[in-house]
Amino acid sequence: MADIATLRRQCWLFAVGSSLFAVGTAPGFTAVAGSGATNALCFVGSWFFTTAAWMQLRLSERGTAWWSSAIQFAGTILFNVSTGASVWAHTVHGERRYVWAPDATGSLAFLISGVLGVIVVGLWAPRSVDWQAEWINLVGCIAFGVSAVAAFVTKAGTTEDIGLANLGTFVGALCFLVAALLILPGRRGLRPRPAPPSSTAPGPHRR
């Protein structure tokens, strides 16, 4: 099992998952392909994220980096629930309880994970690839946090700001994609190295 978890696989899984989320929430995509296609892409993408997060947890050393990865992994499971529920939950109660609630909780988990990751790499080391990836990742986590707030479903069944919710997910997914590619072993001739403490996390789907 230990051989399955590698930094290269982790990065590619995050990259594929991020790409699926970015396509699914890209401006205009839902209008053309329909909400069903958006929900399906995000649901599939969430499983790429969960697998990548599991690998990152196995590769992380004990300490702050491990907690960052563990909290991130918990968040990805919540997004599996949220994106899965978005496929079948068509009632106000279902959307509030099974889509938005785990979505918001998962977004909070990512924010905590992202902050812990930044603590590990430090506040200022711009020449470090790990530092660059962590801060880009944190920007993505913040974008998802904004998206979660905007995606709140009222008792009347309306979303607070669906445009902002989708934009936050789209921007966050792009940030996670860039962060994953930055730490990809072999990029620009870089030699493979131990898994960094980054929490290159996926983002939730916003309906």
Side-chain angles (χ1 to χ4, degrees):
M1 293 294 289
D3 293 337
I4 295 177
T6 67
L7 178 58
R8 179 178 294 277
R9 288 172 179 168
Q10 169 197 311
C11 290
W12 278 119
L13 286 167
F14 273 135
V16 172
S18 298
S19 298
L20 290 173
F21 271 95
V23 171
T25 57
F29 179 83
T30 301
V32 174
S35 60
T38 295
N39 293 342
L41 282 173
C42 291
F43 179 58
V44 173
S46 74
W47 287 99
F48 279 90
F49 286 136
T50 299
T51 306
W54 170 79
M55 288 188 179
Q56 185 169 334
L57 180 59
R58 287 186 61 87
L59 293 169
S60 297
E61 297 181 357
R62 287 286 177 174
T64 304
W66 186 89
W67 280 107
S68 175
S69 297
I71 294 171
Q72 172 187 259
F73 179 60
T76 64
I77 294 175
L78 288 168
F79 291 134
N80 292 151
V81 175
S82 175
T83 56
S86 70
V87 175
W88 59 263
H90 302 299
T91 65
V92 175
H93 174 75
E95 290 185 356
R96 284 168 61 90
R97 183 169 184 176
Y98 301 112
V99 179
W100 184 80
D103 180 359
T105 308
S107 295
L108 178 60
F110 282 152
L111 280 172
I112 296 172
S113 174
V115 170
L116 290 176
V118 166
I119 290 174
V120 172
V121 298
L123 295 178
W124 187 252
R127 293 186 178 181
S128 166
V129 174
D130 288 348
W131 183 89
Q132 295 169 15
E134 277 297 348
W135 278 94
I136 292 173
N137 175 72
L138 182 58
V139 171
C141 292
I142 293 172
F144 281 135
V146 172
S147 183
V149 173
F152 176 72
V153 179
T154 67
K155 291 183 178 180
T158 59
T159 302
E160 284 292 340
D161 191 333
I162 192 168
L164 180 59
N166 284 324
L167 179 61
T169 301
F170 177 67
V171 171
L174 292 181
C175 288
F176 297 137
L177 173 61
V178 172
L181 295 179
L182 273 175
I183 61 173
L184 178 66
R187 186 183 66 86
R188 294 182 180 178
L190 294 177
R191 292 181 298 175
R193 50 194 168 79
S198 63
S199 52
T200 313
H205 165 50
R206 317 300 181 189
R207 299 186 63 186

